[in-house]
Structure formats: structure tokens, C-alpha cells
């Protein structure tokens, strides 16, 4: 209460002294801090040596809207491949090679699931019907070597398609996921080529399959 | 109690009061303001350098040159994969030329692998130049130091150096060479895979994963050569997870990992009952997804405890990257 009364009346000597001291304190503080700020500025900029900074934009980590469409296509291809392997498993006798077909089928199912999780809630799993109708005859019968050869072809196609999609993706996370799939599908190719009896290094190590492309609409 | 103190303070302002306080409110503010001002003046006059240098000592401080800023960009990643490719090419050059290290039956295959790596190195050197960087035509010094040199010493045997102990030759150099090259191919595949999300341009990501897929197929072929078929096709755990019976084991091929079997010429230094370092079994399809974890390889002759050299191959990290400030010297 006494302070309020004092504020309403003429300033006393004490109050003037207090304001001067407070003002001097703030000014002193500002002066004391100035060298620190000045040194920081001088440490971060060296006008003589500096060059114009390159403008860079880091790619997004999460899939963009366009990425989601590409991933949905990749997922539908994987689901179709699962169905094709189901056909092959229906005609293969029990053997070590059949176990490879079964394990690879499981891998493609895992790929479809992981791609779906990368897309998010909008993922609608539908197998790529065109691929199934084109390949179901090849996977529905034949010898082990013949089935291994068509499995090689479908793996090479999946590899080429995912590689193509990686080249179009903006998000780095889905690109990393597809990269981990491509590396393994490449191994699938070599194993199926071996089961098919191939010894040509060009077949075992390379494939020239064409990437599948999503149809308009 | 608070009310009583206010009453006393008001009384203290009254001249001649018997309750005069030792320091009044205004006097307290006056002293406080003077203290702040003094501190500010002292701080302004002080020198940061002196306060941070600590106590003065006698002597001449050596001048130091700080390393340039290490920025990881596309050029650094492209130079790094080029360097790894050159390191792998050097290993193939060494083993292809030595029949003691490589079965002549595999010479054509290994030569093909080496040529593929040369092509990859040239590809990424070209991409480095296109990205505005200086191509790296040399091997990776750090990788050579911590991986290639110790492993090759363990395989071929070597005399002691200033920093490395003497090594006896491996009890089975051909087996170790296959395992090492399998590890190198697996590492190359993992490196290209790991660099995909780190590269800024989608076109470079395609180049990286295309090369990675190629290396993975090298590794798959080597795994089947090492472990044999059908055992080497796929990790049995993936087979059982698929609801299939585990692969049958037929007679082991000559190159199957079996450290219990004594090698042809060298005496087995492992006493009966001693558990030695297990050599990992390798598979053409080791997992459902490409893995980026450490790749263990076991090489060299076992010591008196049965312990062999174990090296864990890891994708290039900060100390293995070929930064832009590095100049190739090879």
C-alpha cells in the first residue's frame, strides 16, 4: 500500500535513485552480454571464406500420396504372386525344393503385408488379376524344373517392378522397404535358376525381365 | 504474523521510532540495484578466453588443424561404394591368382564376380563425376585395415608386424576364402540396400539397389557352393515357419562347413572334447527381407582353445565413408 501512494505523489529521492540503479543494472547487463553475442556471430560467419549455401530439400521419409498409389500397385502384385505360388504348391510333391516354394510364398505374403503397413489405413488388398490370369496356367502344372523356371520369371518380374517403383518413390521409408525386398527377390531368382538346372552365369546372376506398370484408372 | 511485520515496517519509516529496522525496503532496493550494476560492469570487462583457458602453464602449445566439415551427401555415398568395390576387387585378384586359395574349378565364377565388381566401381565413379564429385578409384583404407588385412593374414598366414601378431596359415584356406568372399558379397548387397534411403535422388537409388541385387545373387551362388544343395537353398527356420518339414540333409558336399572334420593335410590342433568356434552355415536365402545387421565370418586356423578369428562385417559407417575432403592416392 505505501508504494502505491508513493507512485501517486512526486518521486522521492529514494525512488529516483532506485530507478537509476535499476536502469544502470539493465544497461550494464546489456553491455556485459554484448561481447558474448558478438563472439557467437563472429564464430558462425566468416564473410571472407563463406560461399553461397546450397539450397537443399531433404526427401520426405513417409510415403506421399503418389507413393501410396505406387505402393498399392506393388502390394497387389505381391498378392497375385502369393496366389500363383499356391497353385504351384498344389501340384508339387513333397521335397526340399517344394519347401523352397513354400517359404518363398510366405515371403511374398510378408512383403504384401509390410507394404500395406507402409501405405497405412488406405490400403485395400486386391491381387493383380491381370498377372494371375496371365500366369496361372504356367503355375498350375509341369515338372519341378518347369515350375522353377516360371518361378524364376515371376521373381525377376517382381524384382524389376519394385526397382522401377523405387525410382519413382519420393518417401525414403518405402524406398528402404522395397530395397530390402528387392535384395531378397534377387536371391530367389538365383535359387530357382539353380533348381531349374541352370548353370549359365548370365541366367544365375542377371535377369532382363520387364517391370509391370499400373494400368490407367 | 505477516500483518504484524507490515505494521512494524510502516512504523520504521516514522522518525524516532523505537522499532527502526536495520535495512529498510528502499535501502534494500538501492543496495540490490548497485550490486546488479557492479556485476554487469565486471562481466563486461572480463575476458572469456582467459576464464576458459584455465590456469596458465609454461610451454608452447602445438598448432592443430581441425578436420574439414564432414558432410554426408550423394557424392560421399557414391565414393564410398566405389571404394568398397575396389577393396573387393583386390581380394578377388589375390585369391584368383593363387591355387592354394581357390579351387581352379571356381576360377571362372570368381573371375566373373571380380569383373562385375569392376563394372560396378566404374559405374559409381561415373555417377560420382555426374554428381559433381571427384571419383574414387582406390580401395577403402579403413575397410582394408580393419577387415581385409586381418582376414587375409588369418587365411594365408603372416609374420608379426609392429601392430599385428604372427598368424599361422589357415587349416583350410579354400574354405575360408569362400566364406570371406561370401561375406564380402553379402556386405556389398547390404551396403547398397542401406544407401537407398540415404541417397537424395531416386535415379541414384535405382542404381544402388540394382547393384545390390546383383551382389546378393553373387552371395546366393556362393552360399550354395559353400553349403551345398539342397541344404544351402534357404534358412531352415523360414521353411518350418512356412509349415513345411525341415530340409533333408544328404551327404555333405566337400565344401560344406564342418569344422569337426579334420582338414586334409594340416594336423587338427583341437583336442578331443574341445569346443571350437563354430563356422556359421550360410544360405542362399538367409531371411525374408534383406538384412542390414552385422555379417559374422569365421576364418583362420584354430588356436589351442579351438578359437578362430571372427570378424563381423558391417555396412559403412561414419569412419568408413569416403568424404569429399579426402583425396584418392592409389
Amino acid at each position: 500500500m505505501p508504494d502505491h501512494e508513493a507512485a501517486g505523489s512526486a518521486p522521492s529521492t529514494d525512488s529516483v535513485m532506485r530507478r537509476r540503479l535499476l536502469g544502470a543494472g539493465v544497461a550494464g547487463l546489456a553491455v556485459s552480454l554484448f561481447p558474448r553475442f558478438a563472439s557467437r556471430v563472429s564464430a558462425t560467419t566468416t564473410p571472407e571464406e563463406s560461399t553461397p549455401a546450397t539450397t537443399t530439400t531433404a526427401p520426405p521419409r513417409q510415403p506421399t500420396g503418389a507413393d501410396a498409389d505406387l505402393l498399392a500397385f506393388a502390394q497387389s502384385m505381391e498378392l497375385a504372386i502369393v496366389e500363383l505360388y499356391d497353385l504351384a504348391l498344389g501340384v508339387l510333391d513333397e521335397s526340399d525344393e517344394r519347401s523352397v516354394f513354400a517359404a518363398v510364398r510366405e515371403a511374398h505374403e510378408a512383403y504384401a503385408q509390410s507394404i500395406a503397413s507402409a501405405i497405412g489405413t488406405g490400403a485395400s488388398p486386391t491381387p493383380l488379376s491381370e498377372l494371375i490370369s496371365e500366369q496361372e496356367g504356367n503355375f498350375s502344372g509341369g515338372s519341378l524344373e518347369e515350375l522353377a523356371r516360371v518361378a524364376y520369371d515371376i521373381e525377376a518380374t517382381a524384382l524389376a517392378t519394385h526397382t522401377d517403383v523405387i525410382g519413382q518413390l519420393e518417401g525414403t521409408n518405402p524406398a528402404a522397404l522395397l530395397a530390402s525386398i528387392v535384395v531378397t527377390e534377387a536371391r530367389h531368382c538365383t535359387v530357382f535358376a539353380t533348381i531349374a538346372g541352370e548353370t549359365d552365369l548370365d541366367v544365375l546372376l542377371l535377369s532382363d525381365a520387364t517391370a509391370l506398370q499400373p494400368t490407367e484408372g | 504474523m505477516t500483518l504484524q511485520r507490515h505494521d512494524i515496517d510502516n512504523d520504521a519509516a516514522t522518525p524516532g521510532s523505537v522499532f527502526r529496522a536495520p535495512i529498510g525496503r528502499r535501502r534494500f532496493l538501492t543496495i540490490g540495484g548497485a550490486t546488479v550494476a557492479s556485476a554487469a560492469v565486471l562481466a563486461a570487462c572480463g575476458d572469456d578466453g582467459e576464464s576458459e583457458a584455465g590456469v596458465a602453464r609454461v610451454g608452447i602449445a602445438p598448432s592443430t588443424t581441425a578436420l574439414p566439415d564432414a558432410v554426408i551427401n550423394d557424392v560421399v555415398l557414391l565414393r564410398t561404394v566405389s571404394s568398397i568395390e575396389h577393396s573387393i576387387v583386390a581380394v578377388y585378384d589375390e585369391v584368383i591368382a593363387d591355387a592354394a586359395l581357390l579351387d581352379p574349378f571356381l576360377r571362372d565364377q570368381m573371375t566373373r564376380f571380380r569383373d562385375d565388381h569392376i563394372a560396378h566401381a566404374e559405374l559409381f565413379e561415373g555417377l560420382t563425376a555426374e554428381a559433381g564429385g571427384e571419383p574414387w578409384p582406390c580401395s577403402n583404407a579403413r575397410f582394408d585395415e580393419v577387415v581385409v588385412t586381418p582376414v587375409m593374414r588369418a587365411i594365408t598366414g603372416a609374420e608379426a608386424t609392429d601392430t599385428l601378431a604372427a598368424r599361422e596359415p589357415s587349416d583350410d584356406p579354400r574354405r575360408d576364402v569362400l566364406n570371406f568372399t561370401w561375406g564380402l558379397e553379402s556386405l556389398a548387397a547390404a551396403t547398397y540396400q542401406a544407401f537407398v534411403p540415404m541417397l537424395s535422388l531416386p535415379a541414384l537409388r535405382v542404381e544402388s539397389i540394382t547393384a545390390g541385387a546383383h551382389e546378393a545373387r553373387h552371395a546366393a551362388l556362393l552360399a550354395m557352393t559353400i553349403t551345398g544343395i539342397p541344404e544351402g537353398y534357404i534358412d531352415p527356420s523360414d521353411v518350418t515357419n512356412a509349415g513345411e518339414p525341415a530340409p533333408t540333409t544328404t551327404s555333405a558336399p566337400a565344401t560344406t562347413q564342418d569344422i569337426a572334420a579334420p582338414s586334409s593335410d594340416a594336423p587338427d590342433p583341437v583336442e578331443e572334447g574341445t569346443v571350437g568356434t563354430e563356422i556359421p552355415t550360410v544360405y542362399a536365402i538367409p531371411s525374408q527381407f534383406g538384412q542390414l545387421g552385422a555379417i559374422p565370418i569365421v576364418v583362420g586356423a584354430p588356436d589351442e582353445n579351438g578359437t578362430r578369428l571372427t570378424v563381423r562385417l558391417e555396412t559403412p559407417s561414419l569412419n568408413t565413408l569416403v568424404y569429399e575432403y579426402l583425396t584418392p592416392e592409389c
Side-chain angles (χ1 to χ4, degrees):
Chain A
M1 306 306 169
D3 280 349
H4 289 180
E5 291 169 6
S9 59
S12 66
T13 308
D14 280 352
S15 64
V16 171
M17 192 64 181
R18 182 183 66 212
R19 287 173 186 167
R20 282 182 180 173
L21 283 171
L22 289 173
V26 171
L29 186 64
V31 171
S32 68
L33 292 176
F34 179 75
R36 295 177 183 274
F37 290 129
S39 65
R40 285 183 191 172
V41 170
S42 65
T44 52
T45 59
T46 50
E48 297 82 8
E49 300 172 6
S50 65
T51 54
T54 306
T55 303
T56 56
T57 303
R61 298 184 66 178
Q62 300 302 324
T64 63
D67 288 352
D69 293 338
L70 290 166
L71 292 169
F73 174 70
Q75 182 199 15
S76 66
M77 179 190 68
E78 291 293 348
L79 289 170
I81 293 172
V82 171
E83 293 200 7
L84 292 172
Y85 276 112
D86 282 337
L87 293 173
L89 289 168
V91 298
L92 280 169
D93 295 330
E94 190 170 305
S95 66
D96 290 325
E97 286 75 15
R98 185 187 190 280
S99 297
V100 174
F101 277 79
V104 170
R105 178 225 176 263
E106 293 294 305
H108 284 285
E109 191 167 49
Y111 302 156
Q113 291 167 349
S114 58
I115 293 170
S117 67
I119 297 170
T121 54
S124 55
T126 307
L128 191 60
S129 57
E130 295 90 338
L131 183 60
I132 295 173
S133 59
E134 180 187 302
Q135 292 288 334
E136 60 186 348
N138 296 329
F139 279 84
S140 299
S143 65
L144 173 65
E145 289 75 17
E146 288 169 337
L147 285 170
R149 195 159 284 118
V150 294
Y152 172 91
D153 288 339
I154 206 72
E155 294 293 335
T157 299
L159 191 159
T161 303
H162 286 317
T163 302
D164 187 58
V165 170
I166 287 173
Q168 301 176 62
L169 288 173
E170 296 175 63
T172 55
N173 283 355
L177 170 63
L178 291 194
S180 73
I181 294 172
V182 165
V183 164
T184 310
E185 287 176 341
R187 292 172 178 269
H188 294 171
C189 283
T190 301
V191 169
F192 282 126
T194 304
I195 294 174
E198 286 287 351
T199 55
D200 184 351
L201 286 176
D202 283 338
V203 178
L204 290 163
L205 301 177
L206 297 171
S207 50
D208 55 358
T210 304
L212 299 177
Q213 299 293 333
T215 54
E216 293 294 329
Chain B
M1 294 300 287
T2 304
L3 180 62
Q4 186 183 3
R5 194 183 66 200
H6 284 178
D7 291 341
I8 292 171
D9 197 31
N10 288 339
D11 290 338
T14 308
S17 170
V18 295
F19 297 108
R20 190 176 191 84
I23 300 176
R25 186 184 64 234
R26 290 177 180 170
R27 196 170 159 73
F28 176 80
L29 289 171
T30 302
I31 294 170
T35 304
V36 170
S38 302
V41 170
L42 287 172
C45 295
D47 186 341
D48 285 352
E50 288 178 7
S51 62
E52 291 171 4
V55 179
R57 288 177 293 165
V58 176
I60 301 172
S63 60
T64 57
T65 304
L67 281 172
D69 287 341
V71 179
I72 301 172
N73 53 25
D74 288 348
V75 169
V76 171
L77 299 174
L78 296 170
R79 280 157 58 102
T80 301
V81 292
S82 295
S83 71
I84 297 293
E85 292 287 6
H86 282 290
S87 290
I88 295 174
V89 167
V91 171
Y92 276 116
D93 280 340
E94 185 172 351
V95 302
I96 288 170
D98 191 342
L101 298 177
L102 183 69
D103 188 332
F105 173 74
L106 294 170
R107 187 167 295 156
D108 287 347
Q109 179 180 315
M110 293 299 208
T111 302
R112 168 64 183 266
F113 288 2
R114 181 199 59 187
D115 293 346
D116 288 343
H117 286 290
I118 291 172
H120 288 158
E122 291 172 349
L123 168 67
F124 286 98
E125 287 166 28
L127 291 172
T128 302
E130 286 180 20
E134 182 182 9
W136 188 267
C138 307
S139 61
N140 188 300
R142 172 72 179 170
F143 183 71
D144 290 350
E145 178 189 352
V146 300
V147 173
V148 175
T149 300
V151 170
M152 290 308 295
R153 281 171 56 87
I155 294 174
T156 62
E159 295 181 354
T161 67
D162 291 341
T163 55
L164 298 170
R167 298 285 315 201
E168 292 293 320
S170 170
D171 53 328
D172 192 342
R174 288 180 175 179
R175 174 205 61 203
D176 288 350
V177 162
L178 286 177
N179 278 325
F180 186 35
T181 52
W182 169 85
L184 292 174
E185 297 292 354
S186 301
L187 175 71
T191 299
Y192 283 116
Q193 178 191 331
F195 281 7
V196 164
M198 298 170 70
L199 290 162
S200 68
L201 299 177
L204 292 178
R205 297 176 196 162
V206 169
E207 298 289 356
S208 183
I209 199 56
T210 300
H214 203 176
E215 315 295 22
R217 294 173 82 153
H218 289 174
L221 203 52
L222 279 168
M224 289 186 284
T225 303
I226 294 168
T227 306
I229 53 175
E231 294 89 346
Y233 282 148
I234 195 164
D235 189 321
S237 62
D238 282 341
V239 173
T240 52
N241 286 341
E244 293 287 309
T248 56
T249 303
T250 57
S251 59
T255 51
T256 295
Q257 310 284 8
D258 182 10
I259 64 168
S263 59
S264 54
D265 299 320
D268 186 2
V270 183
E271 294 179 7
E272 190 174 349
T274 303
V275 178
T277 308
E278 182 183 359
I279 298 180
T281 305
V282 296
Y283 300 100
I285 306 172
S287 56
Q288 285 189 332
F289 292 85
Q291 302 294 303
L292 299 179
I295 302 160
I297 59 166
V298 177
V299 295
D303 63 12
E304 63 273 17
N305 297 315
T307 304
R308 301 173 191 267
L309 176 66
T310 301
V311 177
R312 304 177 75 80
L313 306 181
E314 297 183 2
T315 54
S317 186
L318 296 177
N319 57 3
T320 318
L321 298 178
V322 181
Y323 296 102
E324 284 191 274
Y325 62 77
L326 294 172
T327 304
E329 293 177 3
C330 58

